[in-house]
Amino acid sequence: MTDRATSKKAIHDRLMALEAGELAVAISHYEAHLSQSQTGDHDIHDKDDQVSARESRDLAVAFDAPVLAHHAKVDAIENTDFSLTDTVGPGAVVRFNNRCFVICVSTTRFDVEGSTYMGISTGSPIYQAMAGLKAGDSFAFNGSEFTIEDVL
C-alpha cells in the first residue's frame, strides 16, 4: 500500500494522461477532416470533390469544439492544486458510497492502483452539495443522504 501523497500523485497523473489522450484523439479527428476539406489550387475539381471538401470542412468545424473542450480540461488539471487535503474542493479525491471521485473536470471512469475513479467538475450539482465538507460529514443529493468516507 502506498502512502496518501503517492496515491494522489498517481491519480493526478492518470487523470492528466486520460485527458491528454482524449485531446490527442480530438485533434486527430479534427486534422483528418481538415486535410480532406482542402482541394489543391492547381488541380481541376469536379462538383463532387467540392461537395466532399465542404462536408469535410463542416465536420472539421464540428470537431473543433471537442478539441477546445479537452484543451480546457487539460488546462484545468494543470492549474488545479492536487496537494493533500481534508476538505472537499478542487483537486480533492472524495470517497462516498464506496465510489471515488476526483474534483476537477468531468471524465469517464479510470483505474489507479486497483480502485476506480471518475472526474467531476466543480460545476456539477453533486460537487455543489458536498463542497467544503470533510470525511464523516453527510450531504443530501437527489433525495438521498451520503456520508463522505474519505477526502484525499
Side-chain angles (χ1 to χ4, degrees), residues 3 5 10 12 15-19 34 51 59 71 74 79-81 89 97 100 110 122 125 142 144 149:
D3 66 74
H12 170 267
L15 179 67
M16 180 58 85
L18 175 71
E19 204 49 51
L34 187 62
V51 168
L59 282 171
H71 264 300
V74 167
N79 293 302
T80 297
D81 180 7
N97 204 30
C100 300
F110 61 95
T122 56
N142 282 348
S144 296
E149 299 160 10

Side-chain angles (χ1 to χ4, degrees), residues 88-104:
V88 177
V93 177
V94 182
R95 189 175 77 209
F96 62 90
N97 204 30
N98 292 316
R99 295 186 180 156
C100 300
F101 300 90
V102 182
I103 312 299
C104 186

Side-chain angles (χ1 to χ4, degrees), residues 46-67:
D46 64 20
K47 198 173 201 176
D48 289 339
D49 289 339
Q50 292 172 354
V51 168
S52 178
R54 188 173 22 254
E55 288 173 351
S56 289
R57 191 171 38 252
D58 291 345
L59 282 171
V61 169
F63 281 115
D64 188 45
V67 169

